[in-house]
Amino acid sequence: SEIILQQTRVAQGLPYYYAFVEAYPTVKDLALAPEEEVLRLWQGLGYYSRARNLHACAKNIWFDMGGVFPKTYDDLLKLKGVGSYTASAIASFAYGEVKAVVDGNVFRVLARYFGIETDIASSKAKKEFETLANQIIPEDQPGEFNQAMMDFGARLCTPKNPNCEFCPLKTSCFALTHSMVSDLPVKINKVKIRERHFHYYVITCGEKWVWKKRTSGDIWEGLHDFPQSESMADQQDKVLEIPLKKSKQLKPFPKNYRHILSHQRLNAVFSKVEIEEDNLADLENWCATEGFLLVEEKQIEYLAKPKLIVNFLNDQGI
């Protein structure tokens, strides 16, 4: 649940949590599962490195640690994909260790209540806020404290229009008493959003579709989408010269798609390339050369795919 809730709201993550604990009720079940299956179950939740890290953690615990889950903050930090926030959450919730959880909600509550004007995007902010949170966390109820701080920030001390009138801390809140609620927390460094344009080529030959599996280091590593060019939306990729010679024509799909990631906005158009079935052997050779996959249409649902591709397929009734 803590891995799922990284960068994800509870309402969005809850169905995935139930699906995961049903599919993998034990660490062993998850450790022995194929990565493709894990990614397929994660499909649509985004930040797919979390799924790969979760899978790697299960394999590490099962194969290298004798199936014994780490029980301390320091040992939890050694797991792949587990940082100070997740380690603190697990250690305090599951084992009662006195470790404060500091997420965006806690940053906001602490900044407003104590009047901290440190830029929360700066390198020193994390240590400063973690130190403060660990100074005020009670030793007898660390888990409940952490849950309360996060819930307080999510429900009452919200980023916009916080409910200060009904806040039980309003008489001692620095930001409220100094009319600085809208000024805190301070976040100077805005993340630059990169605008990208994809032209996807949906290449089919009878009931077979051409797919591309994203490689290591890619934001969609391990997921499947179509051959593409990244340039102006109407530019044809030279890599398609061979299949296009064997095709009827390039047929654009009428709808354009837009998908927003944390640091990127993806604008996508799709075009269909139909290959005559007599040219299947040539297409198979081309796919082998270019590193693409030929997949039967009835098997497409079992591929792990980005949400952008899922949305396109849904529109096509696939």
Side-chain angles (χ1 to χ4, degrees):
S1 65
E2 288 304 325
I3 301 298
I4 286 174
L5 291 176
Q6 292 173 1
Q7 306 293 326
T8 300
R9 294 176 293 105
V10 172
Q12 183 186 6
L14 195 58
Y16 287 87
Y17 170 76
Y18 286 132
F20 259 81
V21 295
E22 181 178 354
Y24 313 119
T26 69
V27 172
K28 178 183 178 181
D29 293 320
L30 180 56
L32 298 180
E35 182 181 88
E36 177 77 21
E37 181 182 283
V38 175
L39 290 173
R40 176 65 180 81
L41 204 58
W42 197 274
Q43 183 175 286
L45 194 57
Y47 298 96
Y48 289 90
S49 60
R50 294 179 298 170
R52 292 189 292 272
N53 289 337
L54 181 64
H55 194 208
C57 282
K59 290 191 286 188
N60 183 15
I61 293 168
W62 182 253
F63 293 110
D64 303 327
M65 304 169 65
V68 179
F69 200 91
K71 292 180 170 58
T72 67
Y73 172 83
D74 291 337
D75 287 339
L76 286 162
L77 280 178
K78 298 174 184 177
L79 296 176
K80 188 173 183 180
V82 175
S84 59
Y85 163 80
T86 304
S88 296
I90 297 172
S92 63
F93 299 156
Y95 304 116
E97 186 170 354
V98 185
K99 280 289 182 180
V101 171
V102 179
D103 67 351
N105 291 315
V106 177
F107 267 119
R108 185 167 56 257
V109 171
L110 294 178
R112 286 174 175 169
Y113 185 80
F114 290 100
I116 303 172
E117 297 185 46
T118 303
D119 176 13
I120 62 172
S122 65
S123 57
K124 68 175 184 177
K126 182 179 179 181
K127 184 176 181 180
E128 180 179 352
F129 280 85
E130 283 184 347
T131 299
L132 174 58
N134 279 305
Q135 288 174 346
I136 61 176
I137 186 172
E139 294 188 5
D140 58 337
Q141 293 179 307
E144 188 170 358
F145 173 84
N146 283 331
Q147 294 273 16
M149 286 288 283
M150 291 188 290
D151 205 42
F152 183 76
R155 295 172 178 266
L156 200 68
C157 194
T158 52
K160 296 181 179 179
N161 302 316
N163 199 346
C164 296
E165 181 181 352
F166 294 97
C167 177
L169 305 177
K170 62 182 180 181
T171 58
S172 54
C173 174
F174 181 95
L176 184 60
T177 56
H178 291 79
S179 301
M180 293 180 64
V181 173
S182 61
D183 300 322
L184 296 173
V186 175
K187 188 174 183 179
I188 298 174
N189 298 328
K190 298 287 185 180
V191 176
K192 292 184 178 180
I193 304 297
R194 180 185 176 191
E195 199 84 17
R196 302 178 71 180
H197 297 271
F198 290 170
H199 189 164
Y200 279 112
Y201 302 94
V202 184
I203 307 171
T204 62
C205 184
E207 294 297 312
K208 295 181 181 293
W209 293 49
V210 177
W211 288 84
K212 177 182 67 176
K213 186 172 184 178
R214 292 278 187 159
T215 55
S216 176
D218 192 288
I219 191 171
W220 286 337
E221 179 184 340
L223 304 184
H224 298 81
D225 59 1
F226 304 114
Q228 63 161 88
S229 62
E230 182 174 0
S231 54
M232 295 303 292
D234 60 352
Q235 181 175 331
Q236 184 173 306
D237 195 343
K238 291 182 179 179
V239 78
L240 294 177
E241 289 179 358
I242 295 176
L244 280 175
K245 289 178 181 178
K246 307 290 184 181
S247 69
K248 296 176 181 177
Q249 60 181 339
L250 194 70
K251 299 179 180 179
F253 287 88
K255 182 178 178 178
N256 295 345
Y257 291 80
R258 188 171 176 84
H259 187 62
I260 300 176
L261 303 174
S262 56
H263 301 157
Q264 302 179 36
R265 292 192 187 97
L266 308 183
N267 303 277
V269 296
F270 292 79
S271 295
K272 187 168 187 177
V273 182
E274 294 181 324
I275 308 294
E276 297 285 357
E277 292 191 57
D278 292 344
N279 296 312
L280 177 59
D282 291 336
L283 182 62
E284 289 175 337
N285 291 333
W286 178 76
C287 286
T289 300
E290 299 295 334
F292 297 137
L293 305 171
L294 266 179
V295 179
E296 292 280 353
E297 184 174 303
K298 62 184 178 182
Q299 298 297 321
I300 289 176
E301 65 175 301
Y302 301 109
L303 298 177
K305 302 170 288 291
K307 183 65 173 175
L308 172 64
I309 302 301
V310 173
N311 290 341
F312 167 78
L313 292 173
N314 287 341
D315 287 342
Q316 310 312 312
I318 304 298

